[in-house]
Structures are given as structure tokens and as C-alpha cells.
Amino acid sequence: MDTKLDPSRDDLPLMANTSHILVKHYVLDLDVDFESQIIEGTIVLFFESGNRFQKQSGSTKEPCRSESNEACRFRMPEPCHSPVTDTRTFSSKTRSNDFTICGKGEKDTSGKDGNHDNWEQASGISSSKYCCDTGNHGSEDFLLVLDCCDLSVLKVEEVDVAAVPGIEKLTRSPKLTVVSEELRNQIVCELVTLPADRWREQLDYYARCSQAPGCGELLFDTDTWSLQIRKTGAQTATDFPHAIRIRYSTKPQGRSVTWTSDQSGRPCVYTMGSPINNRALFPCQEPPVAMSTWQATVRAAASFVVLMSGENSAKPTQLREGCSSWHYYVTMPMPASTFTIAVGSWTEMKPETCSSNDLAAERSLSPSEADFRYVGICGHMEYPCRFQNPSATTQEIIPHRVFAPVCLKGACQETLLQLVPPCLSAAHRVLGTHPFSRLDILIVPGNFPSLGMARPNKEKTGHVSDSGSSVVKHGLNPEKVFMQVHYLKGYFLLRFLAQRLGDDTYFAFLRKFVHTFHGQLILSQDFLQMLLENIPEEKRLELSVENIFRDWLESSGIPQPLQRERQAGAECGLARQVSVEVEKWIRMNRRPRKRKRRETEQVFEKLLPDQLVLLLEHLLEQKTLNPRTLQSLERAYRLTQQDAEVRHRWCELIIKHKYTKAYKDVERFLQEDQAMGIYLYGELMVSEDSRQQQVARRCFELTKEQMDRSSAQVVAEMLF
Ligand SMILES: [Zn+2]
């Protein structure tokens, strides 16, 4: 693999024209088939367009109008000549949430940054493609662009929401006599803006609308990164149908879901997010600015459990013989990339005996209409928010379930289950109100790419065009996934701030921050800005957003403040204890073999896992460690039974000192901890030791099929 960054290959385009039209709700209706490794069904999208965008919330409700005078007009590029992407011929002078008149494609400013050509290559969209099939009907049609990749789209149609019995209650007219596009859009408009206290009714209407008959197929086209839909004669986003149904199926090789097997060897499938988020699971608006709610009905064979990031703890409904259906929903608008699904033969893990305390915690606090008193100030768009519900704000432990392959039952019961309530309670203590009403925890298979997701963050992901489309820089570069520098720096920056300000000030601020910004997209700058505004002058010292950025973000290497802290850290008790142990090991390593008797008498202190990591890192600095020392080291701390961080360092020691007797530990790590194992492949290869290289190749051969795609690509590049 070429390790150089290549924008045409590495940048992830976000194509959706979110500046013109926004999805407010998705209704998914899907069948999961393990035999064919395909998920198929329909998705219904409900939109809000132009003239509603300026409205802040549903509290001051204005009648919906469908006049198109404020909306953007889609303009086709000149036939076959313009290299400019369709979605970029818009112009507007507004933020993405605003909506203004713009009829004419202005000069494209994005060419300046050199992205221009790359964009076109990456997206595959070019005007030439369009002029071939627009015929003579589409040159002025509005084009809906959805992010979509590796999906087979079979049919797109407009949904006749006016056909839903009782729906006329949403509109001002008592009876629906003349059903027009305008009326249908007016219904959707009323529906998406129902106030938060009517969320249940709204969900119900969405569900019923999603099953309404179609009223006309829409023209569509797909390319590498998008699905483009238009309706002949609908020239603006406002005229475009506000409820559409897409029938589609996923592809087995699609990059949003991984079909694999769990630790018990049974099939499962899950969304892995990285690197292309959910666009190979359903057509969506990927930019995080498109915040929407969703509900989903998912069917699978009855032996499977369907888990999703919904707000309700779904239970299966038995359909026909051997088939179950699961229904989940969310009422809090979130970016489409936060949608997750996992289907597998997992078992719900429960404590062996249920104490009365647990039962009390399990009593669910589902958001009930009456419970929402509008206390506190919420800055987000309207939804039934837990921060406004007094009983929810004091709930330390939210209802939770733990799912795992049956072979891990023992470990779950012995260790994991007891840890969840104190963790939830600690999160509540530190951060305040839990934003979600419940939690499902799933033990994912070993090939889960756990090293973070290349998520687009707000709209500052790169150049954002006027249609709302943008690029996530290097979003598709498989190696970027394994870069941890930004996580590490972020962690140490927060620690640094906590130390500088003192725990009380810092944690009080964290709670205030969460309270202020919950339900909203924020940038790191917002966090730092608010932090500095909230701390007393005398504690601020030389801190400013600018110098934090300079010291922590823009400079390479270990940030200055951290270097000072590192020196101070070496003097702390836990670290000193490790240094003493390191000295013992080094002395022992130097001792000649015949003094074995005394060596067994050497007493080593018990160390915490973090101390073990530090100890092994110090020992990694040693030029030579003989096999005898390594063997004693493993025995003294039972290294093979420690957590993955410790075992990772242990494997590094094995590789560095060519301790062949323990190669099996490396092999085990490479198979069971695949995401972390990536680094070890590099170390095995770099020494050019044929036996080590064999280990690497053998393990890759065994795991490459189930390995996540980016990992497999990176490893293959190292090995061959
Ligand atoms: Zn709120």
C-alpha cells in the first residue's frame, strides 16, 4: 500500500445536499438474511425543506406553506462540458442551516484548495453522466442527493401520506378533498414539526405514513458515493416530495456492516461505522448537521437477537414460524452515523441472583408525555429531553442489558455485570444527567475495529460546498484509523486542564458544559472557549484558546506541559514503585545462571495493570533480556492472563528478544485482539527474522477473512 496520503483515494466525500433539504426522520423496515449476507427492505425518508429552516422550534407554530419562492433551484450544468459536480453549482451566503434564494450557479470557489479534481474522481459524479439520461425533462429539476455506497437501489417512490386515515387532523383543512403534492408536503411539514410532547403520536404517524401506498415512482441514479433522486417538474426542494420510499438491499461486501462470527463461532453482523459510516447500510444524509430521528423494524430468524441504538429496550415479536421482528426508535435527533445495529446469536447476561437493588434500578423511566416539564434551558432543537424530566435527571443508573456469546457467560457474570452499575453511577456523578434512557452493552467479536471511527465532526471537516456537501480529509485512508495521536493528546489535554484548574472547578465545569450543549453538535473550540470563560481570572494564568491550540494541536511531538508533567510523574508513588521493580529485574537479568537458588527468593511486588504496562515499557528499553528473565517475568505477573494493554507490551518484549518459547502468546494476541494486533504485525516484520515473519503470515492467513477491511489492507501491505 502506498503510505502517502492521496486525496483522490483517501478523502471521504459527503455528498448530501443538506443545505437545501434535510431528513427529519427515517423509517426502516428491514430483513436480515445470514444465508445471502444481505439486508433488504425499505426506508422512508421524511424531509423538511427551505422555508421551515429558519424556524427555531415548534413552540411558535406557523402554518406550513409550500410556496417555492424561497427555495433553491437545481440547475443542471451545461451539457457535458462543465467539470463541476452537480451539487456544487449552488451558491448561498448562509450557514448550512439557513436557507436563501439562489437561482444561479456562481463561481465555484472550491477549486482554489486543489480539491476540485480529486473530488470529481472520488465521487464519480460528473455532469457528463447526467446529461446522458436526463433526456429533455430534467434540466431544471431539483436533485436530492443522498450519501449512498455499495447499495442496490431497486425503486424510489413518492409516498401518499394523504391516504393515511385520520391524517387530516394534522392539516388545517377539515377534509382532504383535492390531494395534491402541495397538500402531501404540507402534511409532512406539520408532522415533522409536531411539538416534543406529542412525540408518541408523531412516531405513530410516521409509522403509518411509511406504510401508505406509493403515488408515483421517482427518477433515480446512483454512483460510487451517492444516490440522486428527482421528480420531473419539481424544480425546488420545496416542490420535491417530502416523503419518499426507497426499496433497496445491501451488498455482502458493503463497508458499513461486517458479516462475521462471534466468539462461540456463530454468525453475526454489525455496523462498524468506520470508515464510511452507515452509507452502505441505508441511503442517508451523512453530514452531522443533518440531525434526524428514526424508527426501525428489523426481522431475522428467531434464533437471533437484534440490537440497535434505540431508546427502547425492544423485545422480539414472533412473526411466522421461526422469524421474529424487533422494533426500535429514537426521539432525540442525531446524525445518521450514530445509528447502529448488531444481529447475532447472543444471550442476555443476567446476574445469577437478582438483588432488590438491581430490580429497582431496572425500573424503566420511559419518557412519558406528562413528565416533561420545561425546566432548565435546552439549547437544542426540540425533542423529549431527559434534562427536562426531573425524575430522569436524578437517575444514576439507567436500565441496561448485557449481551454476549454464550461462551463468555462466566466472564460476564464474574466480572462485567458488577461493573456496569458503578460505571453508570460514576458517569452520572461526573457528567450529570444520562442523555439516553437506557443502554445495551454487547461484547463484540474480536475483529471489531475498535480504534476509533473517522467521524465527520460538525461541518468543519474540510471544504463545505454551498449544497452542504463536503469532504472528510483522509477519511478513507486505512492507516488513519490506526493513528492514535489525536486521542492521546486529547486525553492528556483534559488531564492537564483538570490538574491546572483543580478537580472541583474542572468537574463542575464539565457538568455545566454537558448541560449547556447536550443535544447539540459542538467543536473543541466551543469547549475550550466555554471553559476559559468559566474559570476565575487568577486560575486562568496564561491559558487561552490560541495557546492551547498552539501547544497541543499545532505542535508535533509531546506537548511541553506534558513533558513537565512526565518528569513530575516519575516521582509519584506508583511510578516509583515500578522503578524499584524494574531495577530488580535488570539486576536479575545480569545475574549468572548458577545463582538460580537465590533468584527464586527474589520477591516482586504486586503491581496494578497500569503499573505493569509501565514496567514492561521500561524493560522494552533494555537491549537484552534473556529467556530466563522473560520466563520469570511472565510467571511473576501471570502476563498472559492480564488485559490486552499489558499483553500487548508482553508480546512486544517477546518479539524484541526473539523469545521463541512464547510465540504462541503473540499468535493468540493476533487472533483474539485483532485491532490492537496491527502494530505487532509491523514489529514481527521489521526485524527480518524469518521465524517471526512466518508467525505474522500464518496468523494473517488465519484471520484475514474475518478481519475488518482497513486492518486487512494495512497488514497485507506490511506482509507482502
Ligand atoms: Zn435538553
Side-chain angles (χ1 to χ4, degrees):
M1 188 187 61
D2 187 358
T3 52
K4 274 184 300 192
L5 298 176
D6 172 2
S8 69
R9 213 183 59 167
D10 293 342
D11 290 353
L12 173 68
L14 304 178
M15 304 300 292
N17 49 343
T18 49
S19 298
H20 305 139
I21 193 162
L22 280 179
V23 179
K24 300 306 286 183
H25 189 77
Y26 297 96
V27 180
L28 295 113
D29 190 47
L30 302 170
D31 287 282
V32 180
D33 181 38
F34 278 88
E35 207 125 297
S36 58
Q37 300 201 331
I38 282 174
I39 300 174
E40 85 174 297
T42 60
I43 182 167
V44 177
L45 296 84
F46 295 88
F47 295 102
E48 180 172 57
S49 74
N51 53 358
R52 305 294 303 179
F53 278 31
Q54 288 135 340
K55 204 158 80 69
Q56 285 303 307
S57 74
S59 51
T60 53
K61 214 151 186 280
E62 286 167 31
C64 283
R65 291 176 317 169
S66 301
E67 277 95 67
S68 55
N69 54 348
E70 283 180 27
C72 272
R73 175 163 299 224
F74 179 71
R75 197 164 269 269
M76 291 303 292
E78 295 305 309
C80 295
H81 299 307
S82 166
V84 179
T85 307
D86 298 346
T87 53
R88 297 164 46 164
T89 52
F90 291 102
S91 78
S92 88
K93 44 200 171 295
T94 58
R95 288 172 296 128
S96 50
N97 254 15
D98 287 346
F99 213 84
T100 47
I101 306 161
C102 55
K104 197 165 181 325
E106 284 174 12
K107 199 162 146 274
D108 181 67
T109 50
S110 60
K112 276 185 281 186
D113 59 16
N115 263 342
H116 200 126
D117 292 336
N118 297 331
W119 178 286
E120 198 186 345
Q121 283 161 22
S123 69
I125 294 190
S126 69
S127 53
S128 58
K129 175 160 186 168
Y130 249 83
C131 58
C132 304
D133 58 12
T134 45
N136 51 13
H137 48 244
S139 66
E140 291 280 318
D141 289 342
F142 170 78
L143 192 70
L144 168 71
V145 183
L146 297 172
D147 292 299
C148 171
C149 171
D150 298 333
L151 294 179
S152 305
V153 177
L154 309 170
K155 183 182 176 184
V156 182
E157 63 181 347
E158 182 175 356
V159 179
D160 187 7
V161 292
V164 173
I167 197 87
E168 67 275 1
K169 273 180 248 152
L170 285 181
T171 66
R172 259 138 254 270
S173 52
K175 246 174 84 186
L176 304 179
T177 42
V178 188
V179 175
S180 61
E181 181 74 73
E182 195 179 324
L183 177 68
R184 281 193 287 266
N185 283 357
Q186 192 191 332
I187 291 170
V188 177
C189 200
E190 295 290 346
L191 177 52
V192 301
T193 52
L194 278 179
D197 59 2
R198 292 172 72 184
W199 66 273
R200 201 173 270 287
E201 184 187 358
Q202 187 185 38
L203 271 181
D204 184 50
Y205 271 126
Y206 278 136
R208 284 157 62 202
C209 286
S210 77
Q211 285 160 16
C215 57
E217 289 197 29
L218 301 173
L219 303 161
F220 70 92
D221 197 4
T222 55
D223 58 40
T224 313
W225 292 114
S226 71
L227 165 63
Q228 305 125 29
I229 302 166
R230 63 193 162 78
K231 179 180 176 174
T232 308
Q235 299 189 340
T236 66
T238 325
D239 299 338
F240 188 80
H242 280 30
I244 64 167
R245 179 162 43 228
I246 302 170
R247 176 161 288 285
Y248 74 99
S249 64
T250 63
K251 295 179 180 171
Q253 72 278 16
R255 278 173 285 172
S256 294
V257 288
T258 299
W259 299 86
T260 184
S261 46
D262 65 20
Q263 292 86 341
S264 290
R266 292 187 292 191
C268 63
V269 61
Y270 60 81
T271 35
M272 56 161 192
S274 171
I276 61 162
N277 298 330
N278 282 323
R279 62 179 76 185
L281 177 61
F282 61 93
C284 57
Q285 289 186 328
E286 179 87 77
V289 64
M291 307 265 271
S292 57
T293 50
W294 57 262
Q295 58 189 308
T297 304
V298 178
R299 285 169 298 276
S303 57
F304 289 100
V305 170
V306 176
L307 302 174
M308 296 179 76
S309 47
E311 285 166 18
N312 58 317
S313 289
K315 296 260 159 44
T317 309
Q318 176 91 40
L319 300 173
R320 56 180 191 277
E321 177 109 21
C323 178
S324 298
S325 154
W326 301 67
H327 182 80
Y328 287 93
Y329 63 81
V330 299
T331 58
M332 174 181 176
M334 281 191 289
S337 56
T338 60
F339 177 99
T340 57
I341 180 169
V343 186
S345 302
W346 298 302
T347 309
E348 184 178 350
M349 300 292 161
K350 290 179 177 160
E352 282 184 292
T353 49
C354 229
S355 75
S356 56
N357 261 353
D358 292 334
L359 284 174
E362 287 292 328
R363 208 167 294 136
S364 163
L365 275 175
S366 68
S368 78
E369 279 87 327
D371 240 354
F372 291 99
R373 280 177 254 157
Y374 289 78
V375 291
I377 301 149
C378 288
H380 52 73
M381 61 176 99
E382 207 188 338
Y383 65 85
C385 174
R386 297 186 94 247
F387 286 74
Q388 295 170 356
N389 179 338
S391 48
T393 55
T394 53
Q395 191 181 26
E396 286 176 37
I397 300 170
I398 51 174
H400 52 275
R401 307 184 290 189
V402 175
F403 291 88
V406 73
C407 66
L408 296 177
K409 190 171 180 181
C412 285
Q413 286 183 335
E414 278 163 34
T415 317
L416 183 64
L417 287 175
Q418 289 92 292
L419 289 175
V420 181
C423 286
L424 287 168
S425 171
H428 184 267
R429 203 162 48 246
V430 174
L431 299 171
T433 309
H434 288 287
F436 303 106
S437 53
R438 60 161 211 117
L439 178 70
D440 275 343
I441 296 170
L442 170 67
I443 308 298
V444 292
N447 61 357
F448 191 85
S450 54
L451 287 174
M453 296 172 268
R455 289 273 181 258
N457 201 330
K458 211 167 174 183
E459 66 263 51
K460 301 288 192 292
T461 49
H463 174 78
V464 180
S465 84
D466 296 321
S467 74
S469 60
S470 64
V471 176
V472 181
K473 279 296 201 185
H474 315 310
L476 292 175
N477 183 294
E479 288 191 345
K480 277 278 164 184
V481 181
F482 300 103
M483 292 196 182
Q484 295 191 27
V485 174
H486 45 303
Y487 293 112
L488 293 174
K489 274 194 179 178
Y491 166 79
F492 283 111
L493 171 58
L494 294 183
R495 271 200 38 189
F496 162 76
L497 292 171
Q499 276 167 1
R500 176 65 68 92
L501 307 175
D503 283 359
D504 289 349
T505 311
Y506 180 72
F507 286 114
F509 163 74
L510 261 194
R511 275 187 295 278
K512 184 176 177 183
F513 174 75
V514 170
H515 195 266
T516 308
F517 285 112
H518 73 274
Q520 297 173 67
L521 297 167
I522 47 118
L523 296 171
S524 308
Q525 287 99 303
D526 301 332
F527 174 84
L528 294 173
Q529 196 65 51
M530 183 176 165
L531 175 72
L532 295 174
E533 281 165 11
N534 273 271
I535 53 176
E537 192 96 32
E538 70 274 11
K539 282 196 170 174
R540 221 176 295 165
L541 301 169
E542 79 270 30
L543 288 181
S544 69
V545 175
E546 290 73 30
N547 60 34
I548 291 174
F549 265 61
R550 188 195 60 217
D551 295 347
W552 290 85
L553 191 67
E554 286 150 10
S555 61
S556 61
I558 297 174
Q560 277 291 332
L562 200 53
Q563 286 182 15
R564 286 197 293 274
E565 198 202 313
R566 239 173 107 188
Q567 282 150 15
E571 275 127 50
C572 98
L574 292 172
R576 258 204 320 270
Q577 196 185 5
V578 172
S579 302
V580 172
E581 297 306 298
V582 170
E583 286 311 313
K584 286 187 200 167
W585 284 107
I586 292 172
R587 275 202 306 276
M588 174 178 160
N589 189 52
R590 287 192 196 124
R591 235 177 260 153
R593 211 188 164 114
K594 56 182 176 185
R595 293 176 66 180
K596 201 173 174 189
R597 239 189 90 88
R598 273 200 57 195
E599 159 198 320
T600 48
E601 289 158 16
Q602 178 82 345
V603 178
F604 294 100
E605 297 289 329
K606 271 202 164 163
L607 297 177
L608 297 166
D610 281 345
Q611 289 180 301
L612 276 179
V613 169
L614 187 59
L615 173 99
L616 297 180
E617 277 180 356
H618 280 307
L619 291 177
L620 268 167
E621 289 162 13
Q622 292 299 307
K623 255 209 167 97
T624 53
L625 286 181
N626 56 49
R628 187 166 39 91
T629 310
L630 289 164
Q631 186 179 13
S632 311
L633 193 65
E634 198 286 309
R635 284 191 190 154
Y637 304 112
R638 297 167 175 269
L639 292 174
T640 55
Q641 291 164 43
Q642 296 288 341
D643 67 38
E645 291 287 349
V646 175
R647 284 185 290 119
H648 189 250
R649 268 62 171 201
W650 169 232
C651 289
E652 286 183 296
L653 272 178
I654 296 169
I655 295 168
K656 175 166 180 177
H657 300 292
K658 301 192 169 59
Y659 180 38
T660 50
K661 251 178 96 177
Y663 280 3
K664 59 180 188 320
D665 295 344
V666 179
E667 292 182 20
R668 189 190 134 204
F669 195 91
L670 291 181
Q671 286 168 56
E672 292 177 11
D673 302 271
Q674 288 176 23
M676 280 179 84
I678 301 297
Y679 304 95
L680 292 182
Y681 277 109
E683 287 166 38
L684 283 168
M685 296 310 289
V686 81
S687 66
E688 303 205 336
D689 175 281
S690 66
R691 197 154 163 206
Q692 292 198 349
Q693 296 192 346
Q694 267 173 23
V695 169
R697 295 211 172 92
R698 192 166 56 240
C699 289
F700 184 58
E701 218 34 62
L702 285 171
T703 50
K704 67 177 182 194
E705 293 304 326
Q706 12 154 330
M707 220 179 217
D708 123 80
R709 198 189 286 196
S710 316
S711 314
Q713 198 181 333
V714 170
V715 175
E717 199 58 43
M718 291 181 212
L719 301 195
F720 306 106

